[in-house]
Amino acid sequence: MQLLSIDCLGKELRLEGTLSGWQALFWDNQLVSEKNASADPDPMSNHSFSLQNGETEILCELNCQLDWQPFGLEYELKINQEMVSSNRVQQSDIEKRIPEERQGPKEKVSAFGLMSLAFKLFKSVKVIKALLVAGSLAAYSWLFSLPFALGLILCLVVHEYGHIRAMKYFGMKTKGIYLIPFVGGLALSENKINTRWQEVVIAIMGPFFGLILSLASLVIYWLTGIEMFAGLAVYNALLNLFNLLPILPLDGGHIMKSITFSMHSVVGLVLCILGAALGVLTSYYFGLALLALMLAIGSSEIMMEWKMRKHNQLLPLDRYGQIFSIVWYLGTMIALASIIYVLGQGDNEALSLPMKILGS
């Protein structure tokens, strides 16, 4: 990822690096210094290079102290042994940075990717939003009923609004919410993210807002006895629990990818695998066979992509961010599953259907 970008003799001086200790320094997009990866990376690094200005040789030196946990980069730039620039870069500075498009490994073209590309061609047209809402309402009314369709659209809007609020929290410009018949919804932003923490928060806030809606509906049901609110609580919980499965491109896939790809040590990866195994065993214990199967498949997919984490330009989570993200993720899943479990114990077949689906 890009660690630093400053001016040096009127050209960009860019430092890139990874958790493994590899660093590369570019001046005017030309590699001028490189540091190899190491099993025990040194936080102190020195990059020296020379530039020719006619017959004059200019000696440049960049001294850095890099800490990943938490992230902090202190640097000093000297030209001909004279200090010209020094500062400290923190995670907040990385989050405010406008990401640059850089050539990375080619990705396979998927149907989902083609659909996203086609959708971006007309996403700025406001009338499309109204047409998509009408189309979603008609589609879900045809599949189920009008009251169920209205409840489902409410669940989708609240979920996507959670993503929008997270984007705005990080100062990102948003395009709004788009409902797509038979698919769900999308929350679009004009900006790209710079850190894994941004990815986690934006991804998890959708299901977290969904959890708030389910809890509010459950409380209203207990106070009034109106079963419509119980149905809203349990089916909304099922929808958001499904979104938290660790399968890309679902929200859970992005969360687990951010956590896993931020772990440099093998010990961290082993702990992540043990956590996934615990989730599978817990699901089986409570009779949630389908959830256990999906967790196992999704976790395997994330682990397979772990080797490609170094090709990404995002600032990884520090150790506290990893722990907090895991607790937030598992806590949200447990809360949603608990709502389904509690409402699924009665004699009402409609309310127990989500529990039967997870236990199938």
Side-chain angles (χ1 to χ4, degrees):
M1 64 161 293
Q2 178 178 306
L3 301 173
L4 180 66
S5 177
I6 57 175
D7 178 79
C8 177
L9 301 175
K11 304 289 185 180
E12 181 195 31
L13 184 66
R14 185 177 77 251
L15 178 65
E16 297 187 357
T18 65
L19 280 166
S20 61
W22 172 86
Q23 291 184 10
L25 185 66
F26 298 87
W27 182 81
D28 195 21
N29 287 323
Q30 298 179 16
L31 180 65
V32 292
S33 177
E34 189 172 16
K35 180 181 177 182
N36 295 327
S38 171
D40 186 19
D42 188 352
M44 300 295 297
S45 59
N46 175 272
H47 295 275
S48 300
F49 61 98
S50 60
L51 302 173
Q52 285 296 135
N53 184 15
E55 297 181 355
T56 305
E57 184 178 36
I58 302 176
L59 299 178
C60 302
E61 183 178 357
L62 181 68
N63 299 316
C64 302
Q65 179 174 341
L66 174 62
D67 298 309
W68 288 98
Q69 308 288 347
F71 179 81
L73 173 65
E74 293 185 8
Y75 71 89
E76 294 179 348
L77 175 62
K78 296 180 180 180
I79 298 179
N80 290 332
Q81 298 185 344
E82 180 181 347
M83 179 82 66
V84 295
S85 179
S86 65
N87 207 339
R88 176 178 177 83
V89 180
Q90 298 176 319
Q91 178 169 327
S92 58
D93 301 312
I94 301 292
E95 291 177 349
K96 297 175 184 177
R97 183 183 296 164
I98 299 176
E100 298 181 10
E101 293 289 345
R102 301 195 184 279
Q103 190 68 28
K106 294 183 179 180
E107 298 181 355
K108 294 181 179 179
V109 177
S110 63
F112 183 82
L114 291 175
M115 182 184 66
S116 299
L117 179 60
F119 189 73
K120 289 179 181 179
L121 296 177
F122 56 87
K123 66 182 181 181
S124 60
V125 183
K126 292 184 178 180
V127 71
I128 294 299
K129 292 184 180 181
L131 292 176
L132 289 175
V133 171
S136 297
L137 182 61
Y140 299 136
S141 298
W142 176 69
L143 282 176
F144 308 106
S145 65
L146 179 59
F148 189 91
L150 291 172
L152 180 57
I153 288 178
L154 173 63
C155 296
L156 292 173
V157 170
V158 170
H159 176 98
E160 299 303 331
Y161 181 71
H163 295 314
I164 292 291
R165 289 304 307 166
M167 293 174 186
K168 290 184 176 180
Y169 172 78
F170 289 113
M172 302 169 65
K173 295 181 179 179
T174 61
K175 281 288 188 180
I177 298 172
Y178 294 82
L179 299 180
I180 305 176
F182 305 110
V183 175
L186 285 175
L188 299 177
S189 170
E190 294 182 359
N191 307 115
K192 294 185 178 181
I193 58 175
N194 293 298
T195 69
R196 290 292 184 189
W197 174 243
Q198 290 175 315
E199 185 174 33
V200 168
V201 174
I202 291 173
I204 202 171
M205 283 300 284
F208 190 73
F209 266 54
L211 172 61
I212 294 175
L213 175 61
S214 284
L215 289 175
S217 301
L218 186 60
V219 171
I220 295 175
Y221 166 64
W222 284 338
L223 293 176
T224 65
I226 302 175
E227 290 189 346
M228 178 186 69
F229 290 102
L232 180 62
V234 71
Y235 283 99
N236 179 65
L238 179 64
L239 171 68
N240 286 278
L241 184 62
F242 174 79
N243 266 280
L244 281 176
L245 293 176
I247 303 171
L248 294 171
L250 299 180
D251 295 330
H254 289 288
I255 297 168
M256 286 302 298
K257 184 177 70 172
S258 294
I259 297 171
T260 307
F261 286 19
S262 296
M263 295 179 178
H264 171 60
S265 65
V266 178
V267 175
L269 181 61
V270 171
L271 291 176
C272 188
I273 295 174
L274 291 177
L278 179 61
V280 172
L281 293 176
T282 303
S283 300
Y284 269 118
Y285 178 80
F286 286 102
L288 308 178
L290 179 60
L291 179 60
L293 176 62
M294 299 299 286
L295 281 171
I297 296 174
S299 300
S300 302
E301 180 184 1
I302 297 298
M303 301 307 169
M304 290 174 61
E305 290 196 16
W306 185 72
K307 294 182 179 180
M308 299 296 294
R309 71 196 186 283
K310 295 180 181 178
H311 293 285
N312 201 283
Q313 295 288 325
L314 301 182
L315 177 68
L317 295 166
D318 59 27
R319 191 155 289 113
Y320 301 105
Q322 294 169 19
I323 295 173
F324 186 84
S325 299
I326 292 172
V327 172
W328 193 3
Y329 173 65
L330 293 179
T332 305
M333 287 196 73
I334 291 172
L336 291 169
S338 298
I339 293 173
I340 296 173
Y341 183 81
V342 169
L343 292 175
Q345 300 306 303
D347 298 329
N348 190 310
E349 293 185 1
L351 297 181
S352 61
L353 180 59
M355 183 68 185
K356 293 178 181 179
I357 292 174
L358 294 179
S360 61

